Amino acid sequence: MPPTYEASLEYALYQDNTDKLFSFRERFLFPQHNGADVRYFCGNSLGLQPKSVSYLMDKELRDWARYGVEVHFKAAYPWFSYHHFFAERLARITGAGKDEVVAMNTLTVNLHLLMLSFYRPQGKRYKILMEAGAFPSDQYAIETQVRMHGLDPDEAIIEITPQNGAYLIEDVDIINAIEEAGDSLALVVIGGVNYYTGQFFDLAEITKAAHKAGAYAGFDLAHAVGNLPLRLHDWNVDFACWCSYKYLNSGPGGVGGAFVHERHSNDPKLFRLGGWWGNEEKTRFKMQKGFVPQKGAASWQMSNAPVFNMVAHNASLDIFDKAGIDNLREKSRKLTGYMAFLLAQVKHLPFDVITPTEPERRGCQLSLLFTDRGREVFDALTAIGIIADWREPNVIRIAPVPLYNTFEDCYRFYEVLMKIK
Ligand SMILES: *Cc1c(COP(=O)(O)O)cnc(C)c1O
């Protein structure tokens, strides 16, 4: 049974009062507007700062001061092993084995490193299939990878566009295009949740189709990780990468992540660029010739862990562990469902919600496409301390995030829209 929603403040407050995850918002710092917390709908763009970050950052600084080089072994979280502290928690969020994930670098860098392994055009199998209108960084990465192999992007990249003037790309259109590309196809790269529309793709079915065509499937999970529970291992995904500063609240430029399915990561014949941190740990300091990749996704690491850049990630993943990704998803479905319900009551403003209506095909985010008056609505929201995201020329994106958004936030958003004549 879908929940029965009501467009009233009493209803929203009652939902907040009975929400088991309500108190998690206390763990975050909110920007202020006229002396009060803003209503923050931009967790899909930059997640809020966990309150524990400044204490934990200070602790790392003090450990460094106190121990100097011995910090590598004597710190509370020894720096030598720092990257190991993330694997289990990332594995829970992404549905992976702990050796299949690693916290390293940043998203676009990881996409390049993984494409160096998984995009190896050969003979007539050289094409990459992606969604049209992908995030610019992904477009640039794929374009330049293709050029690196001496190929022409116009010829080698297949872009899937929405059919018949729609905004969304149907999974079946991607799957049909994969079948059609057949043995010319080397790789499929899709944004797991589209940053613009909020659409969640069927990663399992896309992967299955890619494999049937003899190609690999990799996903950019920038807008999926920490937003929806993922099952990367079971879905048989070949590789994935993500950033941590959106739903994972790990700070601007925070450490990214990568997944490589164990059938690949434990195959030493699969090429990967080497660095000392990807080498087998027991011979890492022997300073010998010959790169021997360690087990798992960790073998794609190059350098030692950027500890200060991982502190917020550490703090945030603890919060995810306490809340539980499945609990968060349950609340998220209800919360975003409530927002969608409220928006459907607004008849006098010219917008459509272009995000899929089915909860299975979206995460937190809803995207409102205006034919007119979009900027006016956005400014009215900002004026009373509701932070949304404006995309030129005419889209407002909002993400009610289950860790720190409330049903009241959604109601207040709706109230602003209703007050505009
Ligand atoms: C946010 C985002 C990025 C950002 O990449 P960085 O390398 O972390 O700057 C890339 N791809 C998508 C789809 C994104 O949403």
Side-chain angles (χ1 to χ4, degrees):
M1 269 273 291
T4 44
Y5 294 125
E6 278 175 34
S8 74
L9 182 59
E10 292 69 31
Y11 173 86
L13 293 175
Y14 180 77
Q15 296 309 313
D16 287 335
N17 278 331
T18 51
D19 167 18
K20 290 195 288 293
L21 298 178
F22 186 80
S23 65
F24 277 91
R25 60 190 268 104
E26 317 248 304
R27 295 169 189 252
F28 293 91
L29 293 163
F30 288 79
Q32 299 295 296
H33 175 85
N34 293 342
D37 292 351
V38 297
R39 301 188 185 277
Y40 192 76
F41 286 103
C42 277
N44 57 340
S45 188
L46 186 73
L48 291 178
Q49 182 184 140
K51 285 181 183 163
S52 54
V53 172
S54 69
Y55 167 79
L56 292 170
M57 188 68 84
D58 196 47
K59 189 164 160 46
E60 297 298 357
L61 288 167
R62 278 184 283 122
D63 281 353
W64 180 23
R66 182 164 166 208
Y67 296 121
V69 71
E70 292 188 312
V71 74
H72 288 300
F73 300 99
K74 291 194 168 164
Y77 289 98
W79 289 12
F80 181 78
S81 319
Y82 209 85
H83 61 283
H84 285 297
F85 304 131
F86 300 94
E88 280 188 23
R89 288 173 292 169
L90 284 174
R92 280 194 275 281
I93 288 178
T94 56
K98 74 174 171 42
D99 291 335
E100 291 177 313
V101 288
V102 61
M104 62 176 190
N105 309 315
T106 47
L107 194 165
T108 309
V109 172
N110 290 338
L111 180 58
H112 273 301
L113 294 179
L114 292 166
M115 284 183 69
L116 282 169
S117 296
F118 288 95
Y119 180 56
R120 317 278 295 169
Q122 253 165 9
K124 67 175 181 174
R125 194 181 283 286
Y126 64 92
K127 293 193 177 173
I128 301 185
L129 186 142
M130 65 188 295
E131 82 272 33
F135 195 82
S137 201
D138 302 44
Q139 295 193 40
Y140 303 148
I142 291 168
E143 174 203 323
T144 54
Q145 286 270 339
V146 164
R147 288 191 197 283
M148 183 180 70
H149 291 283
L151 298 166
D152 174 4
D154 289 340
E155 225 262 304
I157 299 173
I158 305 170
E159 280 197 340
I160 311 301
T161 45
Q163 303 274 311
N164 312 322
Y167 303 111
L168 303 177
I169 298 170
E170 297 303 318
D171 290 306
V172 59
D173 292 335
I174 297 178
I175 288 160
N176 288 342
I178 291 172
E179 273 172 24
E180 202 177 305
D183 58 9
S184 72
L185 192 63
L187 178 64
V188 176
V189 180
I190 304 278
V193 170
N194 183 274
Y195 80 99
Y196 188 70
T197 63
Q199 177 182 7
F200 178 44
F201 290 103
D202 190 335
L203 308 193
E205 288 302 315
I206 292 170
T207 301
K208 204 195 274 170
H211 290 172
K212 211 165 139 204
Y216 290 129
F219 298 98
D220 175 340
L221 301 176
H223 282 266
V225 71
N227 178 9
L228 295 133
L230 301 166
R231 299 277 171 266
L232 299 181
H233 178 89
D234 291 347
W235 294 340
N236 235 349
V237 165
D238 295 296
F239 71 90
C241 49
W242 55 86
C243 55
S244 65
Y245 47 84
K246 293 169 179 167
Y247 293 101
L248 291 184
N249 312 307
S250 302
V255 69
F259 165 90
V260 182
H261 200 283
E262 64 183 7
R263 70 176 172 278
H264 302 304
S265 58
N266 294 333
D267 172 7
K269 289 196 297 298
L270 180 69
F271 179 79
R272 66 208 78 179
L273 286 180
W276 70 329
W277 236 246
N279 197 74
E280 268 189 350
E281 295 203 358
K282 62 179 193 298
T283 54
R284 182 186 290 160
F285 283 94
K286 296 226 163 115
M287 309 300 181
Q288 293 164 334
K289 276 196 189 300
F291 174 62
V292 184
Q294 61 172 288
K295 197 170 165 214
S299 59
W300 270 263
Q301 291 174 109
M302 311 246 133
S303 303
N304 67 101
V307 168
F308 298 118
N309 198 15
M310 291 172 139
V311 169
H313 200 37
N314 202 3
S316 176
L317 290 180
D318 272 349
I319 298 175
F320 271 87
D321 252 10
K322 292 209 174 74
I325 188 76
D326 291 323
N327 297 331
L328 288 167
R329 174 60 173 160
E330 194 187 322
K331 173 173 171 185
S332 174
R333 280 176 72 121
K334 217 170 142 190
L335 192 62
T336 292
Y338 187 48
M339 185 61 115
F341 163 81
L342 291 171
L343 291 172
Q345 316 306 308
V346 182
K347 315 277 190 214
H348 67 294
L349 292 171
F351 69 87
D352 283 319
V353 176
I354 58 173
T355 309
T357 47
E358 308 91 316
E360 300 72 35
R361 294 179 69 206
R362 67 183 184 207
C364 301
Q365 178 182 328
L366 297 174
S367 302
L368 286 57
L369 175 73
F370 285 79
T371 47
D372 191 19
R373 304 185 70 186
R375 189 72 215 191
E376 177 192 342
V377 171
F378 181 77
D379 291 342
L381 290 163
T382 311
I384 71 149
I386 296 180
I387 310 298
D389 175 82
W390 174 250
R391 288 281 130 167
E392 290 294 343
N394 51 11
V395 167
I396 296 178
R397 299 186 308 166
I398 47 171
V401 167
L403 270 175
Y404 47 72
N405 280 112
T406 62
F407 289 83
E408 184 186 353
D409 289 343
C410 298
Y411 183 80
R412 298 296 181 190
F413 186 102
Y414 159 80
E415 205 175 43
V416 172
L417 269 53
M418 292 307 276
K419 276 188 192 148
I420 296 175
K421 290 295 158 224

